[in-house]
């Protein structure tokens, strides 16, 4: 029988934006009805970039939890927990690190890319090289069958599978399950300036933004750069805004915009107002929910505490099994 345990994690980088929502959260929410889901806040992983400001972790983790709950992750349907509260992650990471050859980690393309990308923090740490080993511990402790992730995480998952095979072979017991990557097709969503939406680029629309902020940001969005004047025809394909219409506007409206834009019958200002309208319509219910949730922080902490307790039982049992297979207990 194919098991149906799903696990995924998210680094707490503070408030989540629309890119995070469409890239991950939306899929998680869709899965909670049909699978046995474990979702966690990967705060230890965040230390790879936040080690100079670790005091931010608690605050960021709370904000992520509020975004999760406001968006529709339901603690009655899935288990929500905090990585650093379950010490088995750290212990299994250490054990696995003893059997992972360094070249496996060095050839990971995500490792190289991130090192080039992140300029403001020194990313040459031992811990950052071992990032996928900690990620493997996260996954295998729960014997997850599938891990919903973006395409950038595929090399990590491949490495996890290799580590699982190595462990099971070394100790002659199928303690861990090879996890499968469940790749979600992520719509291309750029930020206000046309670059990839990212908190660090200062171009993001956050799930926690107010109606006013959202409208202001949409109005500031880059459109088809070839459309200098209102009378110049535009091309939605070259427009940074249009992918958002594809998500939020009804198909008939999209078609109208495509044709009107190409004939210069609609101005970008009006087109933006239409988008803001539709985006806000989809966000109002979540804004309401957020107000309720943010007003009761103790309930958020309680949800994480209860989830963590449940997850810890699973993690403890698996670590015991692993150590027994190694004959070190
Ligand atoms: N590396 C993931 C990311 O940056 C976060 C993560 C940590 C994760 N541990 C995980 C994802 C385990 C899936 C499973 O998005
Ligand atoms: Fe983009 Fe709309 Fe302007 Fe066309 S009219 S360029 S789709 S914002």
């Amino acid at each position: 029988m194919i098991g149906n345990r799903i696990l995924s994690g998210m680094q707490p980088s503070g408030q989540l934006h629309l890119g995070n929502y469409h890239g991950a959260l939306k899929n998680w929410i869709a899965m909670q009805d049909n699978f046995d889901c474990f979702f966690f806040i990967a705060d230890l992983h965040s230390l790879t970039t936040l080690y100079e400001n670790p005091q931010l972790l608690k605050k960021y983790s709370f904000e992520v939890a509020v975004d999760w709950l406001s968006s529709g992750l339901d603690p009655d349907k899935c288990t929500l927990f905090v990585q650093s509260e379950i010490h088995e992650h750290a212990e299994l990471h250490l054990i696995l690190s003893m059997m992972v050859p360094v070249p496996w980690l060095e050839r990971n393309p995500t490792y190289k890319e991130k090192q080039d990308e992140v300029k403001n923090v020194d990313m040459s740490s031992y811990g950052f090289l071992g990032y996928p080993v900690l990620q493997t511990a996260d996954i295998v402790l729960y014997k997850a069958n599938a891990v919903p992730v973006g395409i950038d995480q595929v090399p990590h998952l491949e490495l996890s599978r290799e580590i699982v095979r190595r462990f099971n072979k070394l100790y002659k017991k199928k303690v861990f399950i090879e996890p499968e990557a469940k790749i979600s097709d992520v719509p291309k969503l750029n930020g206000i300036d046309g670059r990839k939406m990212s908190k660090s680029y200062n171009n993001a629309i956050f799930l926690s933004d107010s109606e006013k902020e959202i409208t202001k940001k949409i109005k500031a969005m880059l459109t088809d750069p070839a459309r200098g004047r209102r009378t110049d025809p535009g091309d939605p394909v070259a427009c940074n805004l249009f992918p958002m219409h594809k998500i939020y506007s009804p198909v008939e409206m999209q078609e109208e915009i495509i044709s009107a834009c190409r004939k210069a019958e609609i101005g970008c200002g009006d087109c933006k107002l239409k988008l803001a309208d539709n985006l806000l319509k989809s966000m109002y219910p979540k804004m309401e929910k957020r107000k309720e949730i943010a007003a009761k922080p103790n309930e958020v902490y309680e949800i994480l505490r209860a989830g963590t307790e449940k997850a810890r039982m699973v993690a403890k049992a698996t670590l015991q099994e692993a150590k027994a297979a190694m004959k070190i207990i």
Side-chain angles (χ1 to χ4, degrees):
M1 191 190 90
I2 302 167
N4 75 340
R5 169 123 344 135
I6 294 270
L7 172 134
S8 198
M10 208 184 268
Q11 286 195 42
S13 52
Q15 283 132 344
L16 300 181
H17 51 67
L18 289 180
N20 302 127
Y21 177 76
H22 290 286
L25 200 45
K26 201 173 126 192
N27 294 309
W28 293 10
I29 293 163
M31 282 186 286
Q32 62 183 351
D33 286 312
N34 303 319
F35 300 94
D36 176 22
C37 294
F38 281 66
F39 299 124
F40 71 97
I41 296 176
D43 55 348
L44 293 174
H45 276 108
S46 284
L47 276 179
T48 55
T49 48
L50 269 187
Y51 59 88
E52 289 175 306
N53 298 295
Q55 73 284 358
L56 293 173
L57 277 185
K58 287 273 171 236
K59 177 172 171 279
Y60 283 0
S61 297
F62 179 77
E63 284 168 356
V64 165
V66 171
D67 277 327
W68 282 3
L69 298 168
S70 319
S71 301
L73 273 188
D74 181 346
D76 290 332
K77 296 181 182 164
C78 57
T79 306
L80 307 174
F81 69 97
V82 181
Q83 181 190 34
S84 65
E85 300 277 330
I86 300 179
H87 300 164
E88 282 71 13
H89 289 245
E91 189 172 347
L92 184 59
H93 165 250
L94 179 105
I95 291 174
L96 295 178
S97 76
M98 302 304 168
M99 63 198 73
V100 178
V102 171
W104 286 12
L105 301 170
E106 284 172 334
R107 67 176 190 227
N108 172 359
T110 309
Y111 172 65
K112 296 192 193 114
E113 273 162 33
K114 192 97 184 252
Q115 268 199 332
D116 294 340
E117 193 185 298
V118 180
K119 295 267 181 281
N120 51 342
V121 197
D122 181 356
M123 298 292 283
S124 63
S125 70
Y126 163 59
F128 183 59
L129 179 66
Y131 185 110
V133 183
L134 179 57
Q135 181 159 340
T136 301
D138 298 338
I139 299 166
V140 301
L141 274 175
Y142 301 92
K143 305 198 184 226
N145 306 99
V147 181
V149 282
I151 193 106
D152 63 310
Q153 297 288 311
V154 170
H156 288 176
L157 260 290
E158 203 36 64
L159 194 59
S160 295
R161 295 164 64 84
E162 252 175 306
I163 296 173
V164 165
R165 288 195 289 269
R166 189 172 179 99
F167 184 99
N168 291 347
K169 189 160 172 237
L170 274 170
Y171 308 112
K172 298 181 184 58
K173 186 157 186 272
K174 269 195 143 184
V175 176
F176 299 128
I177 294 178
E178 281 186 51
E180 235 163 88
K182 211 177 164 89
I183 302 153
S184 42
D185 59 41
V186 181
K188 194 170 160 287
L189 245 198
N190 287 336
I192 297 166
D193 56 1
R195 291 188 291 170
K196 183 182 172 199
M197 192 179 285
S198 158
K199 194 182 177 199
S200 50
Y201 290 160
N202 226 339
N203 66 358
I205 298 175
F206 294 99
L207 303 181
S208 49
D209 278 345
S210 68
E211 175 170 352
K212 233 169 121 180
E213 283 164 323
I214 291 174
T215 312
K216 198 171 138 205
K217 286 181 180 179
I218 297 284
K219 280 187 181 161
M221 275 187 88
L222 179 79
T223 63
D224 178 358
R227 211 176 168 197
R229 281 162 303 189
R230 166 70 179 79
T231 46
D232 294 335
D235 181 7
V237 178
C239 175
N240 176 45
L241 189 86
F242 198 71
M244 287 183 76
H245 270 298
K246 280 203 200 148
I247 297 175
Y248 291 104
S249 301
V251 181
E252 315 82 68
M253 187 184 283
Q254 292 176 31
E255 282 163 4
E256 272 167 41
I257 291 172
I258 293 173
S259 128
C261 171
R262 290 193 169 135
K263 293 188 228 145
E265 284 170 5
I266 182 173
C268 293
D270 286 337
C271 188
K272 286 174 172 176
L273 287 181
K274 283 182 199 286
L275 174 65
D277 239 29
N278 295 329
L279 171 59
L280 283 169
K281 246 182 242 152
S282 89
M283 288 182 79
Y284 285 140
K286 292 173 189 168
M287 288 175 175
E288 283 304 308
K289 203 161 172 196
R290 166 182 303 278
K291 269 190 221 144
E292 286 165 31
I293 289 164
K296 295 180 194 152
N298 286 342
E299 287 186 15
V300 178
Y301 290 121
E302 178 51 28
I303 287 168
L304 292 177
R305 195 203 55 74
T308 298
E309 200 171 296
K310 184 175 161 207
R312 186 182 289 121
M313 309 256 283
V314 180
K316 266 190 186 302
T318 311
L319 185 63
Q320 282 285 330
E321 206 188 318
K323 286 159 86 174
M326 294 171 78
K327 305 195 169 51
I328 57 171
I329 41 166

